[in-house]
Amino acid sequence: MNNEPIVLEEINVWNTPLFVSQLPDHEFLKDALLDLIYQQKDAQKTAIDSLVAPTAKHAMHESTLDFLDQEDPTVMETKRILEELTLEVAASLNHSFWPEDATADAHIIESWYHVTQKGGYHDVHSHPNCSWCGIYYLEPGDAASAGNGGLNRFYDPRINAEHYTDPGTAYLGAQGVWDFTPVEGQIVFFPSYLKHSALPYFGDKDRVVIAFNCIIELY
């Protein structure tokens, strides 16, 4: 009889990494950003100024896709910080694949705000033409209180991962979703292919986020 122990090598494939960080200087940036957002919201001629999938969004205002391109000191500083953090995310996963002498930069190519009122939501979607995306919770409103909704839900990208469940598949998760409760000042970073939604929000206070799409370039 062979009494040697069995050796099992775990190989993780098709992982889906998400990252969470707190925006530095959030307390110093928040009020000026909110003032600017509400000024622009009040001037909007349509609720969804981006004109992107307006039927997938309800009871919310969305800007055009260049919010962080404004030459406003607060906006410029916010964009700089978000690009720096996104680069940290990308580098942590990819540095071993990059040439040793390469210099990497992160560039936000699209950015917009959402001001969501009571009853608002955003259907399931993903973000094409970028590598990393982020949601900055500028003002989560009442989303942190139980029963108020407004969570961001991310969906398991492994098609049919739950076609059969028993104790051997418990590690996959019970429902194939991961819900993120907005926390003021936090940013959640996720790969662009990952489908997600904003669940219906029932708080009385506006839920305000800045979302962005980013690409990484090497020089």
Side-chain angles (χ1 to χ4, degrees):
M1 176 180 291
N2 187 347
N3 292 321
E4 293 184 6
I6 295 174
V7 177
L8 293 175
E9 178 186 0
E10 179 180 357
I11 302 174
N12 286 312
V13 294
W14 300 307
N15 288 334
T16 304
L18 284 78
F19 294 81
V20 178
S21 182
Q22 187 76 17
L23 188 88
D25 297 331
H26 167 73
E27 292 298 327
F28 299 100
L29 299 169
K30 175 185 175 180
D31 289 343
L33 287 171
L34 284 174
D35 286 346
L36 184 61
I37 286 172
Y38 277 102
Q39 287 174 20
Q40 296 183 12
K41 170 186 171 292
D42 292 342
Q44 287 186 224
K45 298 187 183 304
T46 60
I48 309 299
D49 268 1
S50 71
L51 303 180
V52 176
T55 59
K57 302 155 188 173
H58 179 71
M60 67 164 54
H61 282 75
E62 180 178 271
S63 68
T64 53
L65 301 180
D66 56 358
F67 178 74
L68 292 176
D69 291 340
Q70 300 176 74
E71 293 186 3
D72 173 273
T74 303
V75 171
M76 293 169 69
E77 177 63 7
T78 302
K79 182 178 182 180
R80 184 195 67 79
I81 295 172
L82 291 174
E83 287 181 335
E84 185 177 278
L85 290 172
T86 306
L87 183 58
E88 288 289 329
V89 166
S92 70
L93 293 171
N94 295 287
H95 70 276
S96 63
F97 299 95
W98 294 345
E100 290 185 7
D101 59 348
T103 298
D105 276 329
H107 300 289
I108 291 176
I109 58 170
E110 294 177 321
S111 56
W112 60 97
Y113 62 71
H114 279 164
V115 179
T116 305
Q117 292 88 34
K118 193 169 189 175
Y121 61 84
H122 191 333
D123 281 343
V124 181
H125 62 288
S126 59
H127 296 188
N129 302 319
C130 61
S131 56
W132 284 93
C133 309
I135 303 171
Y136 168 31
Y137 298 105
L138 188 61
E139 171 51 73
D142 302 315
S145 300
N148 280 328
L151 282 62
N152 278 111
R153 172 164 288 180
F154 295 88
Y155 298 85
D156 191 339
R158 298 166 298 179
I159 297 173
N160 291 332
E162 294 185 311
H163 66 99
Y164 175 79
T165 59
D166 69 13
T169 65
Y171 73 98
L172 292 174
Q175 297 178 341
V177 300
W178 185 76
D179 290 340
F180 187 84
T181 302
V183 174
E184 183 178 334
Q186 280 193 344
I187 315 105
V188 57
F189 302 89
F190 54 96
S192 63
Y193 65 81
L194 192 62
K195 290 189 178 296
H196 58 287
S197 65
L199 299 184
Y201 175 61
F202 303 108
D204 293 318
K205 190 175 182 180
D206 287 351
R207 175 189 184 276
V208 184
V209 306
I210 297 173
F212 58 93
N213 294 334
C214 203
I215 62 172
I216 308 297
E217 295 183 312
L218 297 181
Y219 302 96

